Amino acid sequence: MAAGADVRCAVLALLVLGLLATGGDATGPVIIGQYSSSAGKLILSCNISVSDTPIKGHKWMLGDKTLKVEEGSSASYITYTIEGNEEEHSGVYECIYETNPVAKGNVSVEVQPQVVAYKKSEHGNEGDTGVLTCKSLSYPPVKTWTWYKSDQTPVVNGSDRYIIKSTGNKTELRIHKLSIEQDTGDYYCNATNSWGPGSATVNLRVRSRLAALWPFLGIVAEVLVLVTIIFIYEKRRKPDEVLDDDDGGSAPLKSNATNHKDKNVRQRNAN
């Protein structure tokens, strides 16, 4: 990877990646940009030729996002360091010098497609439509997308039950009328750009239509078991409760009879 990065940087150093001053004036300053990658860092640099107007600052941008601003700096050679590697931070970076007029240059970080699956595992019911999706946010953009089945058979758009829709950095495979026997397995989405190929794997699982009923049937079974247990418990508990009520009612009568007997004995003794 290090050797490849050095070669790539050497190639980029030979290219004129800088732009002329805004407006395309051939007499304006020339900006040459390049980058290097080492020790988990990506270092971008721009160097501007002698300008007729003073440099009052500069900044780095990626698309519409401002990455770094240095006001009051008159340096002609500027750098911007990113934590990570080329694969994580590919794209076209812009270095802007605050001159009159403003001068802009580019640093292009290019890699093979870094393809990722929207979901590594997809589920679908038999007879429904399955949707598998992959994307690549790398630069340069993907030129071609190709889908393969687990046995390396290419999936042809419009054939059988397959529909493929690819737009730039995203591809989508639709499989109509899913079949457990024919469609279950791994699918590979392969992307290619000017630097080479990249791919990702999506596993498709097709379930029987009856599979959706199993959770409901399981809940019904649990409710029936619970009701049965409660019914048996209540049936066994009632005789004991009736016996306890009878005992509770007879106890005070026995106590009253004893009290009357003791009272009669005391009266006789008094006489």
Side-chain angles (χ1 to χ4, degrees), residues 55-229:
I55 301 172
K56 299 180 180 180
H58 50 73
K59 62 182 176 180
W60 288 90
M61 296 188 68
L62 178 61
D64 297 331
K65 182 180 180 181
T66 301
L67 304 174
K68 180 181 179 181
V69 176
E70 288 189 357
E71 298 180 354
S73 173
S74 60
S76 59
Y77 178 80
I78 58 175
T79 62
Y80 177 64
T81 302
I82 303 173
E83 296 291 336
N85 53 41
E86 301 156 288
E87 289 76 15
E88 297 172 323
H89 301 286
S90 63
V92 179
Y93 295 82
E94 191 173 36
C95 53
I96 303 174
Y97 289 84
E98 297 296 338
T99 58
N100 187 19
V102 172
K104 300 179 181 180
N106 288 342
V107 179
S108 180
V109 180
E110 302 182 359
V111 297
Q112 293 176 243
Q114 306 301 302
V115 183
V116 294
Y118 180 71
K119 289 184 180 180
K120 293 183 178 180
S121 181
E122 290 282 0
H123 300 80
N125 294 325
E126 189 175 19
D128 291 345
T129 298
V131 181
L132 312 181
T133 305
C134 291
K135 63 181 180 179
S136 172
L137 301 180
S138 305
Y139 183 84
V142 175
K143 290 184 177 180
T144 58
W145 285 99
T146 309
W147 284 89
Y148 295 90
K149 297 186 69 173
S150 55
D151 57 358
Q152 297 301 316
T153 301
V155 177
V156 180
N157 187 22
S159 66
D160 196 11
R161 297 167 288 112
Y162 305 117
I163 299 295
I164 299 175
K165 293 182 179 180
S166 301
T167 55
N169 65 346
K170 181 180 178 182
T171 183
E172 180 182 273
L173 170 61
R174 288 181 174 269
I175 307 174
H176 296 287
K177 297 181 180 179
L178 288 173
S179 169
I180 296 178
E181 294 78 13
Q182 299 179 27
D183 300 323
T184 300
D186 290 334
Y187 291 79
Y188 306 102
C189 49
N190 186 49
T192 304
N193 67 7
S194 57
W195 285 95
S199 64
T201 304
V202 185
N203 179 262
L204 176 61
R205 299 179 181 179
V206 183
R207 300 170 296 192
S208 171
R209 280 189 173 276
L210 297 178
L213 295 176
W214 289 119
F216 173 74
L217 295 177
I219 294 175
V220 172
E222 290 179 359
V223 171
L224 291 176
V225 171
L226 182 61
V227 171
T228 302
I229 293 174

Side-chain angles (χ1 to χ4, degrees), residues 242-260:
V242 172
L243 182 60
D244 292 341
D245 292 342
D246 293 342
D247 291 344
S250 60
L253 294 176
K254 183 177 180 180
S255 177
N256 291 337
T258 303
N259 292 337
H260 287 300

Side-chain angles (χ1 to χ4, degrees), residues 232-268:
I232 295 174
Y233 175 77
E234 291 293 335
K235 187 175 181 181
R236 292 183 176 181
R237 190 168 67 91
K238 285 182 178 179
D240 295 338
E241 289 181 348
V242 172
L243 182 60
D244 292 341
D245 292 342
D246 293 342
D247 291 344
S250 60
L253 294 176
K254 183 177 180 180
S255 177
N256 291 337
T258 303
N259 292 337
H260 287 300
K261 184 177 180 180
D262 292 341
K263 184 177 180 180
N264 294 332
V265 170
R266 287 196 297 270
Q267 289 177 352
R268 290 175 182 175

